[in-house]
Amino acid sequence: MKKPRYNYIQKLIDRITKSGQSNNDCFTYYGHLVELQSGTNGYVSVTLYKTDDRYGGELADFSFDYWTLELHLVGTVGKVLTEKIISAFRHFYAPRKNRVSYDQNEYEDEDTTYEYDETDWDKPPIKKLNK
């Protein structure tokens, strides 16, 4: 069975973090409903759904604080998607110190201290070559 690669995530993060994008919005992106919610200019909460219907289930739920540059992952459908989201934020905010935090209930079974060490944000993203 073919595993999802989530190639659109970096483009989605780019759109979400653009200054012209409203922090309170709902739109369809590559066939997925994206819901942005915020009570302030410096913060956005993102819910990415599996389809263009919110009742089809969620792919990811995360938030980003533009002032402290903290990415908080509430939950995703898998480790590959989690890494794609982190990598996308690393790509756009690499020169600055960023932090990643995790919802304890969703990530209690994963060892997030090794895989997603926040000190790695100081390093440039690693590019993988497809052969």
Side-chain angles (χ1 to χ4, degrees):
M1 186 170 144
K2 192 174 175 181
K3 293 184 181 183
R5 295 180 358 171
Y6 308 109
N7 292 334
Y8 58 90
I9 292 296
Q10 186 164 337
K11 292 177 185 177
L12 175 63
I13 300 303
D14 183 35
R15 177 173 175 174
I16 290 169
T17 57
K18 292 247 188 234
S19 61
Q21 175 63 52
S22 171
N23 286 343
N24 291 300
D25 197 4
C26 192
F27 57 89
T28 301
Y29 197 78
Y30 283 87
H32 301 278
L33 181 65
V34 180
E35 188 175 61
L36 307 178
Q37 296 180 352
S38 178
T40 179
N41 287 338
Y43 174 85
V44 66
S45 177
V46 180
T47 305
L48 176 63
Y49 294 95
K50 292 181 180 179
T51 65
D52 60 353
D53 179 18
R54 71 175 29 101
Y55 301 109
E58 295 179 4
L59 280 177
D61 190 5
F62 60 93
S63 62
F64 187 69
D65 187 327
Y66 295 100
W67 297 105
T68 63
L69 299 178
E70 180 176 355
L71 171 64
H72 180 76
L73 293 157
V74 176
T76 63
V77 292
K79 193 173 183 179
V80 173
L81 181 55
T82 301
E83 290 173 350
K84 285 282 189 177
I85 293 170
I86 292 171
S87 175
F89 277 98
R90 182 181 294 160
H91 174 78
F92 293 111
Y93 294 95
R96 295 184 248 161
K97 180 83 172 163
N98 294 284
R99 295 185 306 158
V100 178
S101 63
Y102 301 87
D103 188 66
Q104 291 179 347
N105 295 330
E106 292 292 326
Y107 290 93
E108 65 186 350
D109 294 337
E110 286 190 35
D111 180 17
T112 57
T113 56
Y114 176 74
E115 291 292 331
Y116 313 112
D117 185 6
E118 63 189 47
T119 59
D120 287 342
W121 282 73
D122 292 335
K123 300 173 188 170
I126 299 171
K127 294 184 179 179
K128 294 183 180 179
L129 300 174
N130 293 331
K131 294 184 179 182

